């Protein structure tokens, strides 16, 4: 059976490079899935859980921002942030969630509402990826 080469790269490092059977990722316009022999494809990434299937088992990586490109049987993810479950600092994510909730509850005019919502979403999804592992 054909496989895909999945490479996840951030500005700092290569996070993952594996042969996989399937990749599902959060696009800005919704989630998308990639199987071997997919047509060439380019999508902006949203915030969420990138799932890949390897040897019949699901694996997860938290991603935030960036792009995914499919060319041939290769999926290249260029993400602003990408963290494997074992690299996620749950306590840091929990504190970020508390800070974001506090900012949103104050609802003052001088806060950046969209930024606080994005921070809340990132912290929640990080913990979901960690718990899924």
């Amino acid at each position: 059976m054909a496989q895909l080469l999945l490479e996840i790269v951030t500005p700092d490092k290569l996070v993952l490079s594996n042969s996989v059977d399937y990749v599902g990722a959060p696009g800005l316009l919704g989630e998308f899935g990639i199987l071997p022999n997919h047509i060439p494809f380019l999508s902006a990434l949203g915030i969420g859980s990138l799932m890949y299937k390897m040897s019949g088992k699901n694996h997860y990586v938290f991603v935030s921002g960036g792009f995914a490109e499919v060319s041939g049987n290769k999926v290249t993810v260029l993400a602003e942030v990408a963290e494997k479950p074992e690299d996620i600092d749950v306590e840091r994510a929990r504190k970020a969630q508390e800070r974001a909730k506090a900012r949103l509850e104050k609802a003052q005019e001088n806060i950046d509402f969209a930024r606080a919502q994005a921070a809340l979403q990132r912290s929640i999804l990080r913990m979901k990826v960690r718990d899924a592992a």
Side-chain angles (χ1 to χ4, degrees), residues 16 44 52 69 85 95 116 120 130:
L16 181 82
Y52 62 95
E69 177 188 27
K95 287 179 181 176
L120 179 61
R130 176 64 188 212

Side-chain angles (χ1 to χ4, degrees), residues 35-71:
L35 289 166
N37 302 314
H38 197 283
I39 62 170
F41 178 77
L42 178 66
S43 176
L45 290 174
I47 300 168
S49 175
L50 180 142
M51 188 275 286
Y52 62 95
K53 191 171 278 203
M54 193 167 67
S55 303
K57 186 174 179 197
N58 293 348
H59 301 270
Y60 300 91
V61 176
F62 170 78
V63 294
S64 177
F67 296 91
E69 177 188 27
V70 178
S71 181

Side-chain angles (χ1 to χ4, degrees), residues 13-109:
K13 64 182 176 180
L14 174 67
V15 176
L16 181 82
S17 181
N18 282 333
S19 290
V20 302
D21 302 315
Y22 171 82
V23 177
L28 279 182
L29 300 176
E31 292 191 19
F32 59 88
I34 306 295
L35 289 166
N37 302 314
H38 197 283
I39 62 170
F41 178 77
L42 178 66
S43 176
L45 290 174
I47 300 168
S49 175
L50 180 142
M51 188 275 286
Y52 62 95
K53 191 171 278 203
M54 193 167 67
S55 303
K57 186 174 179 197
N58 293 348
H59 301 270
Y60 300 91
V61 176
F62 170 78
V63 294
S64 177
F67 296 91
E69 177 188 27
V70 178
S71 181
N73 276 329
K74 182 176 181 182
V75 179
T76 304
V77 174
L78 304 169
E80 292 172 20
V81 176
E83 296 173 323
K84 294 190 240 179
E86 61 269 20
D87 297 332
I88 294 173
D89 184 341
V90 177
E91 188 58 33
R92 182 175 152 242
R94 190 170 291 120
K95 287 179 181 176
Q97 183 178 13
E98 290 169 5
R99 284 191 309 271
K101 281 183 179 179
R103 279 190 218 116
L104 290 170
E105 287 171 0
K106 288 181 185 175
Q108 297 173 346
E109 291 180 27

